């Protein structure tokens, strides 16, 4: 009789535990993000490393050797986990993008080419492009001679291809990931000699870039954060805002200053001091140099992940239930828990149907047929066929801040995901490329209005009049539109 009595005591405990698990919040049951993700780009792999949210001290102390006067110290909090490329984007990965999309970089399209290595330094020639930078390279070398726009087009392709939001990292994300919990000049120490073990620079690289992954990674498992190639960041270059900051990003160039984007990490052409974690660089967004590259940042999950299969309920017990009071309590809790889960599922289904019914709505001031659906860190854009290939210039309200951007309208089978860095509470079209402008306007399209954006009158939409003009236009290189030589090199040097 003793085994039966023991079973009568254990079985109610098991059932009670299962009921509690059913009632536990979904977030508590969700698995942590994978520490690393490998994405197949079609014969070429892109490796991502998880970087957990946290706090760090950005900038450098006044006494740090090699310090620049733009490295003011501030405490920064990054509130969300993110994935970062384990390596800079490689020639092979960029070649896959170019082959699949037919994309040509600004150096390839422009009349003057890019700035490649001529044996002594960087000089501009028509033949210098990412394919021919002036030194030998393989598919595992970091891609160079790419502009800020070229890097952005690559991230947009990744987003459309994978359903996961990709972008360039912010400057704060980049430095946080580079430091990996350290506060020294380099993530391997303070002495210049420490740089030799973690990166390629003027003292050890020779006459060009080196294959990625050959040097010591940091504590997060990231390679080539120091040296080899400078890496584009999302921010405009400007002084750090004073005081502590949460998820900072410089979304507009400072008034009166030449608009330049941030680059980080140092390169094979520069001295070791430029590989310091706090060292900052900047250049015209259209610069295309043989020591400029980039790496990507990615959201934790795809924007439209497949629904997880419903859990299979355990088989019903066939044995006669014990008649103890503890069994009755456990059974009641189990039935109540199951009812709550079922009710939650029904409510969730209704909510999903309602969201799909109202979530896709016209953009303010947009031509007929242009709709969007907020999701994750951006929105899905849908546009009629006659607008495909046009340039969409829009602004959105994310976390109380207005953000402007431009993207080519290139929807895939599910539409086009546009990354905004957060769920936009408002989106408004400022202009759509002139090639598709007239037809929708004649069909009753109304020009954008500034209503609802009173808090930022300077950000009111610009009227269409012969083309869009903005400091954050999609093409930053003057020789894309004309045959005039590009003269942006090298404002950062």
């Amino acid at each position: 009789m003793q085994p039966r009595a023991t079973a009568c005591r254990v079985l109610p405990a098991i059932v009670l535990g299962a009921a509690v698990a059913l009632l536990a919040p979904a977030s508590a049951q969700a698995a942590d993000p994978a520490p690393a993700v490998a994405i197949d780009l079609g014969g070429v792999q892109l490796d991502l490393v998880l970087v957990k949210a946290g706090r760090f001290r950005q900038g450098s102390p006044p006494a740090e050797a090699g310090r620049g006067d733009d490295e003011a110290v501030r405490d920064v909090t990054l509130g969300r986990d993110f994935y970062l490329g384990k390596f800079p984007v490689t020639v092979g990965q960029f070649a896959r993008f170019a082959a699949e999309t037919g994309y040509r970089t600004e150096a390839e399209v422009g009349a003057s080419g890019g700035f490649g290595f001529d044996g002594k330094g960087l000089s501009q020639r028509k033949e210098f492009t990412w394919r021919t930078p002036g030194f030998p390279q393989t598919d595992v070398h970091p891609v160079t001679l790419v502009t800020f726009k070229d890097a952005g087009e690559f991230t947009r392709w990744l987003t459309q291809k994978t359903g996961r939001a990709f972008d360039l990292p912010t400057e704060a994300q980049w430095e946080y990931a580079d430091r990996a919990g350290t506060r020294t000049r380099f993530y391997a120490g303070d002495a210049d000699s420490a740089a030799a073990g973690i990166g390629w620079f003027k003292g050890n690289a020779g006459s060009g870039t080196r294959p990625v992954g050959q040097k010591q990674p940091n504590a997060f498992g990231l390679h080539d954060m120091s040296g080899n190639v400078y890496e584009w960041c999302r921010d405009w270059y400007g002084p750090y805002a004073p005081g502590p900051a949460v998820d900072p990003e410089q979304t507009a160039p400072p008034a009166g200053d030449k608009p330049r984007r941030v680059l980080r990490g140092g390169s094979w052409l520069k001295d070791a001091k430029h590989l310091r974690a706090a060292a900052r660089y900047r250049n015209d967004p259209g610069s295309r140099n043989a020591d400029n590259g980039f790496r990507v940042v990615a959201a934790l999950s795809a924007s439209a992940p497949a629904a997880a299969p419903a859990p299979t309920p355990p088989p019903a017990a066939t044995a006669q239930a014990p008649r103890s009071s503890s069994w009755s309590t456990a059974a009641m809790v189990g039935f109540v828990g199951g009812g709550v889960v079922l009710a939650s599922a029904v409510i969730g289904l209704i909510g999903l149907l309602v969201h799909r019914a109202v979530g896709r709505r016209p953009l303010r001031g947009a031509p007929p047929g242009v709709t969007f659906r907020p999701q994750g860190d951006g929105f899905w854009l849908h546009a009629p066929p006659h607008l495909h290939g046009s340039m969409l210039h829009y602004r959105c309200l994310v976390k109380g801040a207005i953000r402007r951007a431009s993207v080519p309208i290139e929807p895939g089978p599910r539409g086009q995901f546009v990354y905004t860095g957060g769920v936009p509470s408002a989106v408004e079209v400022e202009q759509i490329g002139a090639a598709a402008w007239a037809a929708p306007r004649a069909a009753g399209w109304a020009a954008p209005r500034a209503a609802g954006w009173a808090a930022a009158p300077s950000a009111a939409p610009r009227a269409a009049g012969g083309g869009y003009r903005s400091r954050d236009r999609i093409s930053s290189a003057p020789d894309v539109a004309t045959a005039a030589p590009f003269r942006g090199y090298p404002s950062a040097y």
Side-chain angles (χ1 to χ4, degrees):
M1 298 297 292
Q2 185 175 358
R4 177 177 296 181
T6 301
C8 290
R9 290 194 299 269
V10 172
L11 184 59
I14 294 175
V15 176
L16 181 59
V20 171
L22 285 172
L23 292 171
S27 60
Q29 299 181 45
D32 289 336
V37 172
I39 297 178
D40 183 11
L41 302 181
V44 181
Q45 182 170 296
L46 175 67
D47 293 306
L48 302 174
V49 173
L50 177 66
V51 178
K52 302 288 287 184
R55 299 177 180 178
F56 78 109
R57 179 155 291 181
Q58 188 174 22
S60 61
E64 181 169 301
R67 182 182 191 267
D69 58 9
D70 58 354
E71 299 172 18
V73 174
R74 63 174 177 176
D75 292 321
V76 172
T77 300
L78 297 181
R80 293 182 298 175
D81 302 347
F82 57 93
Y83 282 113
L84 190 67
K86 184 176 182 178
F87 311 104
V89 171
T90 64
V91 172
Q93 292 164 346
F94 200 84
R96 184 74 193 99
F97 154 65
E100 187 168 309
T101 64
Y103 181 78
R104 299 177 67 207
T105 63
E106 294 196 274
E108 292 175 292
V109 173
S112 306
F115 284 83
F117 187 64
D118 62 7
K120 298 180 180 179
L122 299 188
S123 63
Q124 187 175 27
R125 297 178 186 174
K126 174 62 179 175
E127 64 267 23
F128 285 148
T129 70
W130 69 274
R131 301 176 189 273
T132 53
F135 47 79
Q137 62 179 8
T138 67
D139 281 351
V140 293
H141 280 70
V143 69
T144 64
L145 280 147
V146 285
T147 65
F148 181 86
K149 172 187 178 288
D150 297 332
E153 294 294 346
F154 181 85
T155 65
R156 276 187 276 275
W157 171 69
L158 286 179
T159 298
Q160 293 181 4
K161 185 177 183 67
T162 66
R164 182 192 300 265
F166 281 84
D167 207 334
L168 298 175
T170 66
E171 186 176 15
Q173 286 176 325
W174 194 98
E175 184 171 334
Y176 175 75
D178 176 52
R179 289 188 176 278
T182 65
R183 296 180 65 174
T184 48
R185 293 175 71 221
F186 311 99
Y187 63 73
D190 281 317
D192 279 358
S193 59
I198 63 175
W200 299 105
F201 56 99
K202 188 175 182 179
N204 65 0
S207 301
T209 59
R210 294 297 191 96
V212 301
Q214 292 188 337
K215 292 292 187 177
Q216 171 190 339
N218 67 10
F220 289 163
L222 300 167
H223 291 260
D224 297 280
M225 294 294 287
S226 295
N228 220 355
V229 292
Y230 279 127
E231 298 178 8
W232 288 110
C233 292
R234 203 161 69 227
D235 300 61
W236 289 100
Y237 175 76
Y240 292 148
V246 178
D247 295 321
E249 179 183 352
Q250 183 75 31
T251 58
D257 192 15
K258 179 181 178 181
R260 292 169 292 181
R261 294 284 186 177
V262 171
L263 296 114
R264 282 302 203 108
S267 82
W268 63 275
L269 272 174
K270 310 308 282 183
D271 293 327
K273 68 177 183 180
H274 297 281
L275 277 62
R276 295 176 303 109
R280 306 180 70 201
Y281 301 91
R282 68 276 186 194
N283 216 332
D284 185 286
S287 62
R288 64 294 300 271
N289 299 339
D291 65 339
N292 286 1
F294 67 102
R295 76 177 68 213
V296 297
V297 68
L300 295 185
S301 61
S303 301
T312 303
T318 56
Q320 183 177 359
R323 298 181 179 180
S324 66
S325 58
S326 58
W327 164 252
S328 301
T329 302
M332 183 175 296
V333 172
F335 282 121
V336 171
V340 170
V341 172
L342 180 60
S344 299
V346 173
I347 293 173
L349 179 60
I350 294 174
L352 177 62
L353 294 175
V354 172
H355 172 75
R356 288 186 173 180
V358 303
R360 184 181 295 180
R361 55 188 183 277
L363 287 161
R364 288 192 57 203
V370 178
T371 62
F372 80 102
R373 176 166 53 87
Q375 184 173 352
D377 288 339
F379 61 87
W380 285 93
L381 172 68
H382 299 264
H386 72 275
L387 292 179
H388 294 184
S390 301
M391 188 65 67
L392 169 68
H393 306 279
Y394 71 93
R395 64 178 181 173
C396 60
L397 195 62
V398 178
K399 300 177 183 178
I402 293 177
R403 181 171 180 176
R404 269 198 173 91
S406 304
V407 295
I409 300 178
E410 299 172 346
R414 295 185 299 163
Q416 177 176 353
F417 186 79
V418 180
Y419 177 75
T420 60
V423 180
S425 57
V427 181
E428 186 175 56
V429 168
E430 292 192 312
Q431 184 172 332
I432 292 181
W437 190 261
R441 195 169 189 176
W445 173 74
R449 295 177 298 175
W453 302 80
S458 62
R462 293 169 173 79
Y468 182 74
R469 293 293 181 268
S470 170
R471 293 178 297 185
D472 197 8
R473 59 186 177 179
I474 192 68
S475 176
S476 54
D479 64 356
V480 170
T482 70
F486 176 72
R487 301 300 180 195
Y489 169 79
S491 60
Y493 304 149

